[in-house]
Amino acid sequence: NLIQLSNSQLADIISYEIKKRPEPLFVHELTNKLNVSLSLISSFIKEELPDDITCFLNDIGNILIHKKESDRIENEIIKKISKAHKTNPLEEKGKTFEELKAVIGSNRGMVWEQLLRSICQKLELNKTIKQVHETWTLSSHEIQIDQNFKDKISKVESMFKEFKMQTPLASEINTMAAQLKIASEELKQILNYLRGQKKLYKIQEEYIHASIVDACREALVNALRKNNNGLTVAEFRDLIGGNRKICLLLFAQYDSEGLTIRNGDRRILKYV
């Protein structure tokens, strides 16, 4: 039989269950623990929940947690996103949900993951964070680039355009950036920005300008549509006028896009 409790007794018991461990708890789990009806607990939570306990509404099940712990998670989410913006001020994106899981720790179970989702939704509702390109960013985050920095971005992009079918060494990139009076930290930010703008590809730690990657992709697709046997690295090299290194990098890129697939020593279209 279900236990009948007064509101004061229920408040004391719920507070004890939540406070005795700094972990979230689904409301339906609490009803099983206390042998109290779900309707009674739900009504109590709606009207008389203690101030030091927070309830998050969730599609899978409402979640109870000590307010100190939920506040800690909120602050850690904001700190993690803020740090990402400071590291990459030219990047529109923030942190993915998977990356934010580090706030709660790995393999904590479904209730922790649902709690994290609920807290993110709360912060979004409060206009503290927002979703941008499947990531969470601070609502206040804006990319601001002055003319001097725009000029530096343009110079770096032009530098990679001039490499054409060559893949520069990291030392070459750093040397040329220094000659352009671009500091190493600025260079990192610019490279990330150009990648985000789809003007530069990073393939296996190598950078190639998007105009090369896109033009070679089109040439490869046209060739493969005419040749069901596919192309070897050497044949692709002759097709685009590149070297073996860039051909292998481009094949790796197109494989990762799901465009091509390896068949022996040849690449064929994954979907004809």
Side-chain angles (χ1 to χ4, degrees):
N1 294 330
L2 296 177
I3 297 173
Q4 299 298 315
L5 297 169
S6 68
N7 281 355
S8 61
Q9 289 175 312
L10 193 55
D12 290 341
I13 293 172
I14 289 176
S15 293
Y16 173 75
E17 287 293 333
I18 299 301
K19 291 176 184 177
K20 72 180 181 181
R21 56 176 191 170
E23 295 185 7
L25 189 67
F26 280 123
V27 170
H28 65 260
E29 291 178 325
L30 189 60
T31 64
N32 295 333
K33 274 177 170 288
L34 303 182
N35 196 26
V36 176
S37 71
L38 179 60
S39 60
L40 177 61
I41 287 188
S42 297
S43 176
F44 173 79
I45 288 171
K46 185 177 180 181
E47 298 175 7
E48 301 185 49
L49 190 67
D51 293 338
D52 57 355
I53 295 175
T54 302
C55 180
F56 288 94
L57 304 182
N58 187 278
D59 292 338
I60 292 180
N62 295 342
I63 301 169
L64 294 172
I65 189 169
H66 197 285
K67 189 174 186 303
K68 282 185 179 179
E69 181 63 8
S70 65
D71 287 348
R72 181 194 70 79
I73 294 172
E74 281 189 28
N75 290 332
E76 288 299 318
I77 289 171
I78 294 168
K79 283 181 185 177
K80 199 167 186 66
I81 296 172
S82 180
K83 185 177 179 181
H85 292 330
K86 288 179 181 177
T87 303
N88 298 300
L90 302 182
E91 176 63 73
E92 286 184 306
K93 297 179 182 179
K95 286 291 184 181
T96 64
F97 182 76
E98 288 300 314
E99 290 171 329
L100 288 178
K101 281 185 181 180
V103 169
I104 58 173
S106 59
N107 302 319
R108 296 299 298 273
M110 182 172 66
V111 66
W112 279 100
E113 184 171 325
Q114 293 306 315
L115 172 67
L116 184 64
R117 290 188 188 280
S118 295
I119 291 177
C120 286
Q121 289 165 0
K122 174 193 171 185
L123 290 171
E124 182 181 29
L125 191 63
N126 293 343
K127 300 189 183 303
T128 303
I129 64 176
K130 61 184 178 182
Q131 293 190 65
V132 177
H133 302 306
E134 299 182 350
T135 69
W136 289 104
T137 73
L138 296 181
S139 295
S140 59
H141 179 59
E142 292 182 1
I143 297 176
Q144 296 182 342
I145 307 174
D146 60 28
Q147 189 57 51
N148 180 49
F149 209 84
K150 285 181 181 178
D151 291 341
K152 290 181 178 181
I153 292 172
S154 179
K155 288 175 182 178
V156 172
E157 185 186 357
S158 296
M159 179 177 78
F160 280 98
K161 276 185 178 179
E162 290 170 6
F163 280 117
K164 297 181 180 178
M165 287 291 181
Q166 302 300 313
T167 50
L169 298 172
S171 58
E172 291 180 275
I173 296 171
N174 291 331
T175 298
M176 294 184 73
Q179 291 171 350
L180 295 171
K181 301 188 184 312
I182 297 173
S184 59
E185 191 58 38
E186 288 181 320
L187 179 61
K188 288 179 185 177
Q189 294 173 6
I190 291 171
L191 292 176
N192 284 333
Y193 176 77
L194 289 173
R195 288 176 63 200
Q197 296 296 308
K198 307 297 184 187
K199 293 182 178 180
L200 202 64
Y201 283 82
K202 186 179 183 182
I203 311 169
Q204 297 177 1
E205 303 305 315
E206 303 282 356
Y207 290 96
I208 306 174
H209 195 269
S211 60
I212 297 297
V213 179
D214 296 341
C216 291
R217 183 192 296 107
E218 184 177 355
L220 178 62
V221 169
N222 289 336
L224 291 178
R225 282 176 176 164
K226 297 174 184 176
N227 185 351
N228 293 331
N229 293 325
L231 293 181
T232 63
V233 174
E235 289 168 339
F236 183 44
R237 180 194 63 205
D238 294 341
L239 175 70
I240 64 173
N243 55 44
R244 180 177 176 80
K245 180 180 179 181
I246 197 169
C247 288
L248 289 172
L249 290 170
L250 290 172
F251 271 165
Q253 174 63 29
Y254 304 144
D255 287 351
S256 71
E257 294 173 3
L259 177 68
T260 55
I261 188 171
R262 187 170 182 171
N263 183 19
D265 63 347
R266 295 175 174 273
R267 285 305 196 288
I268 60 174
L269 289 175
K270 189 170 184 179
Y271 302 106
V272 179

